[in-house]
Amino acid sequence: PELLEYTFGFFGQVAELLGEEAAPLVPPLLPFLVKAVEQEEVTEFSEHEQARILAKLGPDPDGDGDELLDDDDDDEEDEEGEEGGDGPGIHTAMLDEKAAAIHCLGACAAYGGASFAPHIEAVMGPLLGCADHFHEDVRGALARTLSHLVKACAAAEPPQPWVKGEAPASSKLGKATRWLLQRSWRTLVSTFKDDDDKDTVAAAAESISEIVLLLGPSVLANAPWHPASTDPLVNGALALLEQRHSCQE
């Protein structure tokens, strides 16, 4: 996993250096990135492992499930977990690999521009599956990458310019851009408003700002991805200013 993490970082740097010229590298790389994004980092007890541990615990005279391993057995279990033995745990190397894969997808989209647009639909499902991930590095990487995907989509179908004084309308955005916003905007707003990690909230705020600056007020028009009210954004911003946001507790 560590080697894959570094490899994804390398290709992210290549995308930054080569820009759209790196487009031929994306199709063969994409399956590995998607696989890393979809993989599970948490191992669970198998039935055999559960039976073995219950046997070690011995009888529970109270019947409340509070009987624990003695100190020696507890230490043995800890060592097994650290060495990748039996028991549930989190593979941190695979966790880092997932975050690196998401960052790499974001770099390919940000620097590949319109050339990455044909791949957006294939990666959206796996990416949005990480929206509620338990680790903040993954959620933060997702927040940044979603804005890069919108940037690539807008490069492929530039939105109609907004005229000052004109009512914003989502129809000014391209079909693919509307499709992408419908799937990503609520995730960004929810992360900005409710996440409990400061860096993740900051990443979502930056992504929302970049999207609005790129596409104009049409993003905030009454559309499937955004209700008529901007209250969620306003309330999230006020909570941050008043230092009562969940990430500031």
Side-chain angles (χ1 to χ4, degrees), residues 109-206:
Y111 300 108
S115 66
F116 190 83
H119 308 295
I120 291 176
E121 185 173 355
V123 303
M124 279 304 295
L127 285 174
L128 291 179
C130 300
D132 297 320
H133 197 275
F134 66 88
H135 202 279
E136 62 273 12
D137 287 351
V138 173
R139 299 195 307 273
L142 173 64
R144 295 181 182 90
T145 294
L146 289 177
S147 68
H148 297 326
L149 294 178
V150 173
K151 179 180 177 181
C153 194
E157 49 173 30
Q160 299 177 34
W162 174 70
V163 179
K164 187 175 180 179
E166 184 180 63
S170 60
S171 59
K172 287 184 173 292
L173 304 175
K175 181 179 179 181
T177 304
R178 295 197 302 271
W179 177 89
L180 180 55
L181 286 172
Q182 191 166 346
R183 283 154 182 79
S184 60
W185 184 258
R186 292 182 185 273
T187 296
L188 285 172
V189 173
S190 176
T191 301
F192 170 68
K193 188 168 65 76
D194 300 324
D195 203 279
D196 60 2
D197 178 70
K198 290 183 179 180
D199 291 337
T200 303
V201 171
E206 291 171 0

Side-chain angles (χ1 to χ4, degrees), residues 3-17 25 29 100 104 107:
L3 183 58
L4 281 174
E5 175 193 350
Y6 299 143
T7 302
F8 295 154
F10 166 77
F11 279 108
Q13 292 292 322
V14 169
E16 182 177 356
L17 289 170
L25 300 175
L29 177 63
C104 185

